[in-house]
Amino acid sequence: MESVHSSLDARLGDGVNAPLAIPLRVLTTLVELTAAALLLAEVSVLITGVVWRYVLDSPLTWTDELASMLFTWLAMLGAVLALARGENMRMTAIVNRFSPAAQRWCESVSQLVVALFVAIILLPAGQHASEQMAILTPALGIADGLRALAVPVGAALMLLFAIGNLLMNGGRTAILGGVATIAAIGAALWLLQPAFIAMGNLNLLVFFVLLVGAAVLIGVPIGFAFGISTVAYLTVVTHAPLGIVVSRMDEGMSHLILLAVPIFVLLGGLIEISGLARNLVDFMASLLGHVRGGLQYVLLGAMFLVSGISGSKAADMAAIAPALFPEMKSRGVQGEDLAALLSASGAMTETIPPSLVLITIGAVCSVSISALFVGGLLPALIATVAIAFVCWMKARRADAPTLSRAPLRVVMRTFVIAVPALALPVLIRAAVVEGVATATEVSTLGVIYTLIAGILASLFGKPFAYRRLYKMLVDAAALSGAILLIIGLATSMAWALTRSGFSTYLVGMMQSVPGGATGFMIVTIVCFAILGSVLEGIPAIVLFGPLLFPAAHALHINEVHYAMVVILAMGLGLFAPPFGVGFYAACAIGKTSPDGVGKRIWPYLFALLIALLLVAFIPWLSTGFLGHAAE
């Protein structure tokens, strides 16, 4: 079994302060155990609420309160884990091209930025928790400060890990260089304070374009790049208390809809270890494997069915690729082609429910999640058909071995085994669309369903990887924490932008683009393709969604239609070289060089661009089946 410490050990093994490795590893283990226990408790509380509501028809009033309190602790400790294990969302494409010495300097600056930010918010976070102690929850009568206490505790732990990582990996020269760099930037910002104030809103370019951009490019985790830029802006340009960063961060991370995030991430892990993903691939391969290029279609179909459930595009790709790639390579498909197709399949499925990007849009932009779930299916199908057309064209020109059709008994046997896997995404999407249950309740039901299906399958000889459960819980907590921290810090940054008046200016500017709604849509596609390549989907949505969705509404663009255009544009950027993070994840999963894959992905991306333009300028593709869900 792979150790949950593998990434941590790899980073701690070569440091100049090796004695720090042991206490850091012990602390990491304690955080892992606590986070895993919190995730189990969260699922148990939600399952209790679902059973009492839907089975016993006697809803419990306290489950949502307790789940919300546990959720904040889970989010913060998950964010601590992501930092400890080096799993924060960050851009490394540029840094990886630097010399080893420059990479160490970038890593030192990155850890110093994290340490500086959490040190700055530590006291305001403690004050925020103290203030919340006076507020009691309605059902349980528990002080809300006990929930808010997760923020200063998480910040203190992140400070310890940032300093520990810095000392373990930086080296004296790199650390001193990083300290000097940050001190110089801080002094320059302070000395230029009168000039920034005199610039008016143009100072936003300095703090939220140059500063954020520079931080992201040298590998600072995206959430902390948002956080330090917001703190710098508020300190230098405004008189706003820094406590507002903490309160907005707490508010952004604690939104009740976002409870679905860790549960769907957990569900994705369960689908893999229970064997449901493999069963699905086996059935589709028996059905289409004899067709020229058939396994390419199997890959597309499998990604369409399971995408969005795990909460991570990398997890979706990692669940499907190992089951297909060996057989595809045996049939003569080059590794670079496989990685290119895998990358394109990740981009095409961004709108498929229960995508966490859809849930995030519903949470931060006040759009019906049921409507988003309905509206996302047809655009994803259009994109899938576009990719399939490219696969068909390639298959026609390629030499392929003649393969016999699988016997009917094999098809039927694999179909019966795959029925639970085929039914799960249908049940999840139907339950939310029909309003039977909320996204959080559906994710909980999905966990129960998958556990039962996996256990039953193990009785008939299909292995259930029980030994991976703990690692899966830890991984789910870390991924959820990384996502939720970005949402929280992007919420703080969005507040600062709104306070500055930038949101009003942006809406006015976008509305005045030549061409009306058409020009607005073209600018949206370009902007979100760029944002998707740099920031990934969720932080870009949290940051710019609340600003641009009102502008779209003012131009009489349906919010669901606009959401589909935004998501597909971000997906295109996320998987496009040279900056797309998803592109490099696909290359890593396919164990191929990005240089070779980059040359082969462009036909797929061009097909996706055509699909995006069709969705953008034929609104019916997003809204034609909304019905009551749009209300």
Side-chain angles (χ1 to χ4, degrees), residues 132-327:
Q132 295 298 109
M133 287 292 181
I135 302 174
L136 300 180
T137 59
L140 294 174
I142 299 175
D144 187 60
L146 296 177
R147 178 198 61 80
L149 191 62
V151 180
V153 170
L157 289 171
M158 281 189 270
L159 180 59
L160 290 176
F161 277 111
I163 294 173
N165 290 340
L166 178 67
L167 295 176
M168 290 297 303
N169 304 303
R172 184 176 291 105
T173 302
I175 293 174
L176 292 176
V179 170
T181 301
I182 291 185
I185 293 173
L189 292 176
W190 186 256
L191 292 173
L192 293 173
Q193 183 180 26
F196 290 139
I197 295 175
M199 289 169 64
N201 277 348
L202 288 177
N203 57 38
L204 297 176
L205 294 175
V206 176
F207 292 94
F208 298 120
V209 177
L210 295 178
L211 200 55
V212 170
V216 169
L217 288 176
I218 65 169
V220 175
I222 290 172
F224 292 102
F226 289 168
I228 198 66
S229 300
T230 303
V231 166
Y233 172 76
L234 295 179
T235 301
V236 174
V237 178
T238 76
H239 299 289
L242 293 182
I244 197 69
V245 175
V246 175
S247 63
R248 294 295 173 175
M249 171 183 164
D250 184 18
E251 178 186 343
M253 295 176 65
S254 303
H255 203 296
L256 197 59
I257 293 176
L258 296 176
L259 271 170
V261 171
I263 312 303
F264 271 125
V265 173
L266 179 64
L267 176 58
L270 283 172
I271 289 172
E272 181 188 356
I273 70 171
S274 66
L276 292 187
R278 177 72 204 207
N279 295 342
L280 177 64
V281 169
D282 288 344
F283 164 63
M284 298 182 71
S286 70
L287 196 63
L288 296 173
H290 64 283
V291 178
R292 182 185 288 267
L295 291 184
Q296 281 89 327
Y297 305 138
V298 171
L299 175 61
L300 295 178
M303 284 293 291
F304 188 96
L305 288 172
V306 307
S307 183
I309 294 178
S310 74
S312 164
K313 283 298 164 191
D316 293 340
M317 294 186 292
I320 299 300
L324 278 173
F325 275 20
E327 180 64 22

